[in-house]
Amino acid sequence: MQSSIQLPGSNILFNISLTSSSVLQIVKESQQQHGLRHGDFQRYRYLLLILMDAERAWSYAMQLKQEANTEPRKRFHLLSRLRKAVKHAEELERLCESNRVDAKTKLEAQAYTAYLTGMLRFERQEWKAAMEAFNKCKTIYEKLASAFTDEQAILYNQRVEEISPNIRYCAYNIGDQSAISELMQMRLRSGGTEGLLAEKLESLITQTRAKQAATMSEVEWRGRTVPVKIDKVRIFLLGMADTEAAIAQAEEEETKERLFESLLSECRDAIQAVREELKPDQKQREHSSEVDSGKVTNIQYLHSYLTYIKLSTAIKRNESMAKALQKALLQQQQPEEDGKRTARPQDLIRLYDIILQNLAELPQLPGLEEDKGYLKEIGIKTLVYKAYRCFFIAQSYVLVKKWSEALVLYDRVLKYANEVQAQAGTYKNSLKELPDVQELITQVNAEKYSLQAAAILDAGDNHEIESPSQVKDGKPLSERFETFCLDPSLVSKQASLVHFPPEFQPIPCKPLFFDLALNHVTLPPLEDKVEQKAKSGLTGYIKGIFGFRS
């Protein structure tokens, strides 16, 4: 909930967010930390007051910067608050010149002042002064980081990484044209910048790519040149090389995955832009005389090219994830930790299933149906990933001790791998990025020997020489009460206690009786009784009531 207040003697209204805060608790905790516990009322750290004033002015400036995107007038207030923050920082630096302050605090105060000064100059677009301030801040933090332990140096190094893009941006605006490429790489590696530089860098990169896109008129793929007239597609194709370079340089898997997702998102946007251009093109083809010619238009071929990039990027992303899972499987020598799921071969099987699905879509792209070289490459790639998928299926069978199934799958892996080596031939240059098949063959041969040894050992454990007391004749427990033998199955879920269902046994049949004499019996006549009953009438009824019977 918000409310507005007006300060006395001022026409400015302030919106105040009503929040809940334990004032007494905050006061008491601060007093306990700063001297009241020992009765030392002058122990309070005065430097922290000025530092908090500077941080308060800086944080307000950052809030105003967000609001200035929609309300440009607040930019003046933003610069005012930054000047206030610099003023407090300079006061802090002056106080730290005292002999009571150690050298580390003096250096940190100087770096803090230089940082806020650089931010103010940056907002005022005084590039040279801003770069000098940021360089001073960077130098001090680098020296502090080298003077302390690794744990303490992390914070200093983070601040150095934070201001490095600002320095390169200032250098670009001064006239260093090489800084733009470094800024792009920094942005891609770090996943985007924050603070003052974020919006400016995004705008700069967009403008630079737009200028480069203006000179890009066509693209060549698979021996065919097609014009590129859509700006979004031009910008995507120009930025794709930078993103791929950043992926190659990335060391952490999370960074790679984020870059892959960014590239796929941009590719989908470009494909959507091409689809919108395809709709009127298809209507024109329906009314033209070239409907039956079967030739793919330039815009359709460009759509196929972008779809190829999307599917190929998805394959590379899944392959990168598969490599990370393979490393995890190799390093996994201990049982699962509580609440943490470890890597399994089934996870890799799923990734290779997705890769094979993407490969199955590639031959169906319009305009490539008659490209035999292209289809041959896709066929070889399919064999490679089938081999790896089959290998990890075999690994999953090994985990459950299904030796025969795993051995058959290992032979299938060798079959796929040998087919790849036989068919590669002139396509080796285009297949360099694929996983090494020869390494897989070596690994499979080693796994086969290990599997055979494990199968023999397992068979030995299951067929130990049994003593006479362990020999069973297959009878259930109900039929061998008089004979002692050790039967482990009695404590399992498949204990043989009785024959169930019970076997059929012969029993005497129940005799059947047929009443055939009735057909030969002569019944006595009943006419006399029928007539007597008929004559009785009312008289008989009355006699019956009073109990008179004849």
Side-chain angles (χ1 to χ4, degrees):
M1 186 172 73
Q2 291 188 344
S3 62
S4 298
I5 63 172
Q6 185 174 2
L7 297 179
S10 173
N11 293 326
I12 302 176
L13 288 175
F14 293 89
N15 290 328
I16 305 297
S17 297
L18 299 181
T19 59
S20 175
S21 180
S22 301
V23 178
L24 180 60
Q25 181 180 358
I26 296 173
V27 170
K28 286 295 183 182
E29 289 179 355
S30 300
Q31 289 177 350
Q32 293 293 329
Q33 293 176 4
H34 301 290
L36 187 61
R37 180 181 299 176
H38 304 286
D40 187 2
F41 296 96
Q42 295 185 355
R43 182 185 169 195
Y44 199 92
R45 300 178 182 178
Y46 179 71
L47 295 179
L48 292 181
L49 297 177
I50 302 176
L51 178 61
M52 291 300 106
D53 284 338
E55 280 295 296
R56 177 176 177 272
W58 170 83
S59 62
Y60 191 14
M62 295 299 100
Q63 175 64 26
L64 290 171
K65 181 172 179 60
Q66 294 178 356
E67 297 174 357
N69 295 329
T70 55
E71 302 179 55
R73 292 179 58 86
K74 290 192 175 182
R75 178 170 175 77
F76 299 101
H77 197 185
L78 158 67
L79 295 175
S80 174
R81 298 311 300 174
L82 281 177
R83 283 193 294 269
K84 193 73 172 178
V86 171
K87 181 180 177 181
H88 288 303
E90 290 174 348
E91 179 68 14
L92 175 66
E93 183 180 358
R94 187 185 64 79
L95 290 173
C96 289
E97 293 176 358
S98 171
N99 296 330
R100 298 182 178 181
V101 180
D102 60 2
K104 174 177 174 293
T105 305
K106 292 180 180 180
L107 287 174
E108 289 208 19
Q110 294 174 9
Y112 184 70
T113 303
Y115 175 71
L116 291 181
T117 303
M119 295 179 73
L120 175 61
R121 302 298 183 187
F122 191 93
E123 275 298 319
R124 295 174 64 177
Q125 298 185 1
E126 299 174 0
W127 308 120
K128 187 175 181 179
M131 189 170 69
E132 291 176 355
F134 282 134
N135 278 326
K136 179 181 178 181
C137 176
K138 179 181 178 183
T139 303
I140 294 174
Y141 282 132
E142 285 178 344
K143 290 182 178 180
L144 288 172
S146 62
F148 295 95
T149 61
D150 294 339
E151 294 181 358
Q152 294 175 320
I154 292 176
L155 192 60
Y156 299 124
N157 290 328
Q158 288 177 348
R159 178 52 62 90
V160 170
E161 293 178 1
E162 179 184 342
I163 63 178
S164 293
N166 295 2
I167 295 173
R168 299 309 301 161
Y169 187 83
C170 293
Y172 172 78
N173 284 280
I174 291 173
D176 186 0
Q177 297 297 325
S178 63
I180 183 61
S181 60
E182 296 182 14
L183 284 170
M184 289 182 178
Q185 294 299 324
M186 288 179 181
R187 171 181 169 273
L188 290 171
R189 287 195 299 267
S190 62
T193 54
E194 298 178 356
L196 296 175
L197 186 61
E199 297 176 3
K200 291 182 172 61
L201 184 55
E202 290 293 336
S203 176
L204 175 62
I205 291 175
T206 303
Q207 293 175 5
T208 304
R209 287 180 176 174
K211 291 178 181 178
Q212 296 174 350
T215 61
M216 181 182 182
S217 59
E218 58 186 19
V219 64
E220 182 180 356
W221 181 57
R222 306 298 303 182
R224 179 174 174 176
T225 302
V226 294
V228 182
K229 300 179 182 179
I230 306 173
D231 291 337
K232 185 173 287 187
V233 177
R234 290 176 178 177
I235 294 173
F236 165 71
L237 294 175
L238 288 171
M240 183 175 64
D242 295 332
T243 307
E244 290 178 344
I247 291 172
Q249 296 175 5
E251 297 179 357
E252 298 181 358
E253 293 300 326
E254 293 182 0
T255 304
K256 287 184 179 180
E257 186 174 351
R258 177 181 50 76
L259 291 173
F260 274 123
E261 289 297 334
S262 175
L263 183 59
L264 286 171
S265 177
E266 294 175 2
C267 186
R268 284 190 287 265
D269 292 340
I271 291 174
Q272 182 61 33
V274 174
R275 284 176 180 169
E276 293 176 358
E277 294 290 329
L278 270 174
K279 294 177 182 178
D281 182 72
Q282 290 176 350
K283 293 181 180 179
Q284 291 178 2
R285 285 174 59 86
E286 290 177 359
H287 299 287
S288 65
S289 59
E290 299 180 357
V291 177
D292 298 330
S293 61
K295 185 179 179 181
V296 175
T297 62
N298 289 331
I299 191 70
Q300 287 177 328
Y301 197 77
L302 180 61
H303 183 270
S304 296
Y305 176 50
L306 293 175
T307 306
Y308 173 82
I309 292 175
K310 185 189 74 170
L311 294 174
S312 299
T313 304
I315 290 172
K316 291 178 182 178
R317 179 196 61 183
N318 291 324
E319 185 181 349
S320 176
M321 295 171 63
K323 288 181 180 178
L325 283 174
Q326 289 180 36
K327 291 180 182 178
L329 283 174
L330 292 176
Q331 297 174 358
Q332 186 176 306
Q333 300 294 338
Q334 54 187 3
E336 296 184 10
E337 300 179 3
D338 294 339
K340 184 177 180 181
R341 185 177 180 274
T342 56
R344 293 182 176 87
Q346 290 84 348
D347 302 329
L348 284 160
I349 295 170
R350 176 58 181 161
L351 287 176
Y352 283 111
D353 281 336
I354 298 173
I355 290 175
L356 290 173
Q357 291 174 6
N358 293 331
L359 285 172
E361 296 179 25
L362 288 174
Q364 303 173 8
L365 298 178
L368 299 170
E369 298 87 348
E370 298 180 359
D371 191 340
K372 295 182 180 179
Y374 170 80
L375 298 176
K376 187 71 173 179
E377 289 179 12
I378 300 302
I380 295 174
K381 290 180 181 179
T382 303
L383 287 175
V384 171
Y385 290 114
K386 277 186 176 180
Y388 273 89
R389 176 180 177 275
C390 195
F391 173 77
F392 288 107
I393 294 176
Q395 291 280 54
S396 64
Y397 276 113
V398 169
L399 293 178
V400 294
K401 296 184 178 182
K402 293 186 177 181
W403 315 116
S404 58
E405 292 87 345
L407 189 61
V408 172
L409 288 169
Y410 280 141
D411 290 335
R412 181 66 62 86
V413 174
L414 294 177
K415 176 187 174 184
Y416 286 141
N418 292 330
E419 289 181 8
V420 171
Q421 290 182 334
Q423 298 179 18
T426 58
Y427 300 97
K428 288 184 178 180
N429 292 331
S430 59
L431 302 176
K432 286 182 179 179
E433 297 181 356
L434 291 177
D436 189 3
V437 176
Q438 184 58 44
E439 181 180 349
L440 180 62
I441 293 175
T442 305
Q443 187 176 359
V444 168
N445 288 328
E447 292 289 341
K448 286 180 68 176
Y449 294 128
S450 300
L451 185 148
Q452 292 172 355
I456 292 172
L457 292 174
D458 187 60
D461 294 339
N462 293 334
H463 297 87
E464 295 178 352
I465 300 176
E466 297 180 345
S467 62
S469 62
Q470 292 177 317
V471 177
K472 295 195 306 177
D473 53 4
K475 294 182 178 181
L477 180 63
S478 60
E479 297 181 5
R480 50 183 174 86
F481 286 132
E482 293 81 9
T483 304
F484 173 76
C485 69
L486 297 176
D487 187 1
S489 66
L490 292 177
V491 293
S492 66
K493 294 182 178 180
Q494 299 179 352
S496 178
L497 303 178
V498 294
H499 284 297
F500 187 83
E503 297 179 354
F504 290 101
Q505 296 180 358
I507 59 173
C509 182
K510 182 179 180 180
L512 298 178
F513 297 94
F514 299 96
D515 191 1
L516 302 178
L518 182 61
N519 297 331
H520 304 279
V521 173
T522 302
L523 297 177
L526 301 176
E527 289 80 0
D528 54 343
K529 294 184 179 181
V530 173
E531 292 177 357
Q532 184 179 0
K533 183 177 181 181
K535 293 179 180 179
S536 59
L538 181 62
T539 305
Y541 174 73
I542 294 172
K543 290 181 179 180
I545 293 175
F546 292 101
F548 300 104
R549 297 291 181 181
S550 58

